[in-house]
Amino acid sequence: MKVAARAHAREDGAVAPIGVSLWVRLLEAHNLMLADLRRRLSEECTMPRFDLLANLEREDGQTLAALSRRMLVTAGNLTGLVDRAERDGVVERRPDPSDRRLSRVWLTDKGRDLVQSLLPMHASHVSELLGELDANERRDLRRLLGKLRDSLHARKES
């Protein structure tokens, strides 16, 4: 009985180190991929600006609050980013027609052209970075990360 109890304790204790190790690997992989993508995009666009433009490409006319949540940046950082992008003519702010207190951020033609030229390059870089994984491994990883994301959203909502 004592042997079984010790074995069970070891198994329970192993969960934390595996979880921490998984967390560290996710962070390391994210940081390495982000650094490579940042380096490759640097000639054309900064990573924060690319993120802003890509978010607007997916859904144009978002509020600053919605963009801040989606991009995982503070409102202050986003305001500066949008100010610079607006100064450079790639986005514009327009008042919300139903609530004058809000403004929405829209891509300009110049911004749309820029992001549409960057998206294929970005996709190619990401594919190259994931090249060591075969198609089944990429699908499995996507499925598992989706499952993790969904469970984390469910925890947040409960």
Side-chain angles (χ1 to χ4, degrees):
M1 200 62 179
K2 288 183 183 179
V3 172
R6 274 185 271 153
H8 181 67
R10 277 195 305 270
E11 287 173 16
D12 288 346
V15 171
I18 290 170
V20 171
S21 175
L22 180 56
W23 169 252
V24 169
R25 284 184 183 196
L26 283 169
L27 289 176
E28 287 175 334
H30 172 265
N31 288 338
L32 290 167
M33 290 181 76
L34 189 59
D36 191 89
L37 291 169
R38 188 175 274 134
R39 181 182 52 77
R40 290 179 184 210
L41 277 176
S42 68
E43 295 172 17
E44 305 291 330
C45 184
T46 66
M47 199 67 192
R49 180 168 290 186
F50 174 78
D51 196 18
L52 171 66
L53 298 176
N55 270 282
L56 291 171
E57 173 69 14
R58 281 190 292 277
E59 184 181 336
D60 211 359
Q62 295 182 60
T63 64
L64 289 172
L67 281 166
S68 176
R69 281 190 304 275
R70 287 194 173 148
M71 294 174 61
L72 304 175
V73 296
T74 66
N77 285 343
L78 182 64
T79 298
L81 179 62
V82 171
D83 286 346
R84 289 184 298 279
E86 190 171 34
R87 179 199 66 214
D88 295 341
V90 294
V91 302
E92 64 183 3
R93 288 184 177 98
R94 296 184 206 155
D96 184 295
S98 61
D99 187 345
R100 295 184 326 176
R101 297 169 296 174
L102 297 176
S103 65
R104 295 186 173 271
V105 182
W106 298 85
L107 287 170
T108 63
D109 289 342
K110 180 180 177 182
R112 189 170 320 288
D113 290 345
L114 176 59
V115 73
Q116 287 176 352
S117 73
L118 293 173
L119 286 170
M121 181 188 327
H122 179 262
S124 174
H125 294 334
V126 170
S127 291
E128 182 183 324
L129 291 172
L130 296 172
E132 290 297 314
L133 303 175
D134 66 35
N136 288 330
E137 290 169 327
R138 288 191 302 271
R139 278 192 290 277
D140 288 345
L141 181 58
R142 183 176 188 275
R143 180 185 54 77
L144 290 169
L145 290 172
K147 183 177 179 178
L148 175 61
R149 179 208 53 218
D150 293 346
S151 73
L152 294 172
H153 276 300
R155 286 177 58 100
K156 188 172 101 176
E157 294 169 2
S158 60

